[in-house]
Amino acid sequence: MADLKEFAEQLVNLSVKEVNELAEILKEEYGIEPAAAAAPVMVAGGGAGGDSAEEEKSEFDVILKSAGGAKLAVVKLVKELTGLGLKEAKELVDGAPKAVKEAMPKDEAESMKKQLEEAGAEVELK
């Protein structure tokens, strides 16, 4: 039981980059799609039974509105944050406005927004 509690703590404390890497491993090695893997983790991390309206409000999409003046820096950051390849990250940035990441917890979404804005991008949360 203590091992499971430690494992849960490790999952909760993962960085955005580590979560993306974990999702990629689950998808490639075990055939588990990241969206399917995210729901149980979010429910387990939710704590004392909130209602579904609270859960919906706690999920945000990070929308890249434009790359701004530092397009290369934004492409590199999108690549790092999402785990996409360079070509895919560039296509995402070129296709703005576009969702960089969807259904994220509020704190992770705000952190990603801040990082992208510091790189020069125009970003919004929905």
Side-chain angles (χ1 to χ4, degrees):
M1 183 79 160
D3 290 336
L4 288 176
K5 188 167 187 150
E6 288 175 27
F7 178 67
E9 278 186 42
Q10 289 175 341
L11 282 176
V12 171
N13 293 321
L14 290 176
S15 69
V16 173
K17 184 177 179 181
E18 291 169 327
V19 169
N20 287 328
E21 290 173 10
L22 175 61
E24 192 65 29
I25 291 168
L26 289 173
K27 182 177 179 181
E28 290 179 3
E29 294 185 20
Y30 299 100
I32 299 171
E33 290 294 321
V41 170
M42 288 175 42
V43 170
D51 62 17
S52 61
E54 285 181 23
E55 289 177 22
E56 289 178 28
K57 291 179 185 177
S58 68
E59 292 182 354
F60 294 86
D61 297 342
V62 179
I63 309 295
L64 177 69
K65 293 175 77 177
S66 74
K71 182 178 172 183
L72 183 58
V74 173
V75 169
K76 287 180 179 180
L77 185 58
V78 166
K79 178 183 178 290
E80 178 184 324
L81 293 173
T82 62
L84 293 172
L86 185 59
K87 180 182 176 187
E88 291 82 6
K90 182 183 180 302
E91 288 173 354
L92 190 150
V93 172
D94 287 343
K98 206 166 200 177
V100 175
K101 202 77 165 159
E102 297 177 332
M104 296 180 64
K106 184 176 182 178
D107 57 335
E108 289 180 27
E110 287 175 346
S111 174
M112 183 179 284
K113 178 182 178 195
K114 181 179 177 185
Q115 290 176 26
L116 286 165
E117 287 176 340
E118 287 173 356
E122 190 178 331
V123 184
E124 72 176 345
L125 298 181
K126 286 191 176 183

